[in-house]
C-alpha cells in the first residue's frame, strides 16, 4: 500500500497542479471590459468563443472565494477582486425575467456583454448562482447577497418539491416524471454550502431537506444493490429503456462523497457504509476500464452499447470525483483497500489530464487515453 511519504508526494503534486490551474484562469479568463469570465479557452489560453456559460461563471466565483477564504496562499486582492467582478456580472445579467415565469430563472449562456442566449429547463444554472453568492458573501459579509442566495434556494426547493412548471418544460403525455440523481445531489450540495459554519438555526432550517435529498439519492441503488442507475421513477423503481439502464460512474462517485460528508456531519455510520460500498466502490468496480485504465463516461447496466456518443471517453471530472471520493472514504475509515484504489485513480488522472506545456488540464480523452479535444475551457469545462 501507499506510504505516508507517497501520500505527501501526491499532496505536493496536487498543490502544484492547483497553483498552475489558478494561474491559467487568472491569466486568460478575465474580461476586464465587460466583466465576468471567458469560458471557451483554447489549449494555449486563446479565447475561441466569447459566449459566457453561467454554470462556469458561478463555479469560478465560488472557487476563487473558497480558495481566498480557506487557503493563505490564495488570499490575494486580485483573486477577491476577480470574484467580485464575476459576481457583479452574474447579478446584473444571469437572471432572466420572462413574462409569467419566475424572477429567479437564470440563463445557461450569455453573450460577452451579458445578453441571454439560452435557457436550460433545469435548476443547475441557479444552483451555481447560489453557490457563488453564498461563498462570496462569506468573504465580504454582504448580507443582501447572502439573502439573495437563500431566496433563490427557496425558489429551487419549490420547483423541485412543489411545482416545476416555472422551469418552462412542456408537460408531454409520454414524458413521465423521473427522479434524476443530479437533482437531489445538487440540492444536497447546496444544503452543505448554505449551512457550513452558520449555526444551529440554519442547520435546522435545512435539516429535513438534507434528509429528503439523501433518501432520493439512495433510491438509485437498484438491482438488489448491484448497480447505481442515473434515473429511476418517482417511486424509486427502475425505468424502461436506455434512460432506465443508464449508468454514469463519475456521477455515482460524486454522490458518494456528498453522502460521506453528510454522514460525517450527522454521525450516521450506516449511511457512511452505504456511501462507501454502493456509491464509491461499486461504481469504480463497474466503471473502471480494465484494458486501458480510467473511468468510462456512461455505461448500460445490461451491457448494451450506450447511445451517448462519448460513452467510452475518459473525461477529467469523473476522475476528480473518484480521487476525492476514495481519499475521503480512506480518511474516514483508514481501510487500506480504499487507499489502493485512490492510488490507482490518482496515477491515471495525473499521468493523463495535466498539460505540462501550457498548464491547466485537458478534459476529454479517447478510451485509449489520447487527448481528443485539446481546449482548456468549453461550455461545460471551466
Amino acid at each position: 500500500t501507499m506510504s505516508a511519504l507517497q501520500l505527501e508526494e501526491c499532496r505536493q503534486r496536487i498543490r502544484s497542479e492547483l497553483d498552475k490551474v489558478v494561474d491559467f484562469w487568472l491569466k486568460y479568463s478575465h474580461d476586464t471590459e465587460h466583466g465576468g469570465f471567458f469560458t471557451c479557452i483554447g489549449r494555449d489560453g486563446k479565447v475561441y468563443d466569447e459566449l459566457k456559460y453561467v454554470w462556469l461563471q458561478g463555479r469560478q466565483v465560488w472557487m476563487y472565494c473558497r480558495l481566498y477564504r480557506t487557503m493563505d496562499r490564495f488570499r490575494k486582492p486580485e483573486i477577491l477582486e476577480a470574484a467580485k467582478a464575476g459576481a457583479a456580472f452574474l447579478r446584473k445579467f444571469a437572471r432572466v425575467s420572462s413574462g409569467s415565469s419566475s424572477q429567479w430563472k437564470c440563463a445557461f449562456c450569455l453573450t460577452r456583454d451579458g445578453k441571454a442566449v439560452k435557457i436550460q429547463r433545469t435548476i443547475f444554472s441557479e444552483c451555481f448562482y447560489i453557490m457563488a453568492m453564498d461563498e462570496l458573501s462569506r468573504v465580504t459579509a454582504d448580507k443582501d447577497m447572502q439573502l439573495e442566495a437563500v431566496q433563490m434556494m427557496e425558489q429551487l426547493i419549490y420547483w423541485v418539491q412543489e411545482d416545476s412548471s416555472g422551469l418552462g418544460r412542456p408537460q408531454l403525455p409520454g414524458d413521465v416524471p423521473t427522479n434524476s440523481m443530479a437533482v437531489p445531489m445538487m440540492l444536497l450540495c447546496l444544503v452543505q454550502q448554505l449551512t457550513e459554519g452558520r449555526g444551529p438555526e440554519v442547520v435546522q432550517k435545512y435539516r429535513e431537506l438534507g434528509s429528503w435529498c439523501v433518501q432520493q439519492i439512495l433510491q438509485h441503488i437498484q438491482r438488489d444493490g448491484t448497480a447505481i442507475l442515473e434515473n429511476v421513477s418517482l417511486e424509486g423503481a427502475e425505468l424502461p429503456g436506455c434512460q432506465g439502464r443508464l449508468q454514469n460512474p463519475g456521477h455515482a462517485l460524486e454522490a458518494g462523497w456528498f453522502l460521506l460528508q453528510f454522514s460525517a456531519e450527522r454521525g450516521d455510520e450506516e449511511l457512511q457504509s452505504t456511501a462507501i460500498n454502493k456509491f464509491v466502490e461499486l461504481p469504480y468496480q463497474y466503471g473502471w476500464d480494465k484494458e486501458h485504465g480510467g473511468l468510462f463516461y456512461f455505461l448500460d447496466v445490461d451491457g448494451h452499447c450506450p447511445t451517448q456518443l462519448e460513452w467510452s471517453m475518459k473525461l477529467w471530472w469523473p476522475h476528480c470525483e473518484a480521487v476525492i471520493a476514495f481519499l475521503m472514504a480512506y480518511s474516514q475509515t483508514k481501510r487500506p483497500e480504499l487507499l489502493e484504489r485512490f492510488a490507482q485513480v490518482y496515477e491515471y488522472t495525473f499521468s493523463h489530464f495535466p498539460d505540462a506545456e501550457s498548464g491547466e488540464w485537458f478534459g476529454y480523452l479517447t478510451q485509449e487515453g489520447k487527448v481528443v479535444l485539446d481546449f482548456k475551457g468549453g461550455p461545460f469545462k471551466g
Side-chain angles (χ1 to χ4, degrees), residues 188 191-192 206-215 255-268 271-272 328 332:
L188 184 60
V191 167
Q192 290 174 328
Y206 293 109
R207 194 172 179 86
E208 237 173 272
L209 178 63
S211 300
W212 179 84
C213 292
V214 169
Q215 289 321 118
W257 74 260
F258 286 8
L259 293 172
L260 279 176
Q261 266 191 333
F262 185 86
S263 67
E265 281 161 21
R266 299 260 174 123
D268 185 336
L271 182 59
Q272 180 195 59
M328 193 180 289
Q332 289 187 14

Side-chain angles (χ1 to χ4, degrees), residues 253 280-288 295 326 341 344-345:
L253 282 149
V280 181
E281 300 214 88
L282 188 59
Y284 169 85
Q285 280 158 17
Y286 61 68
W288 190 259
L295 290 159
F326 278 113
R341 299 263 188 274
Q344 189 175 8
V345 178

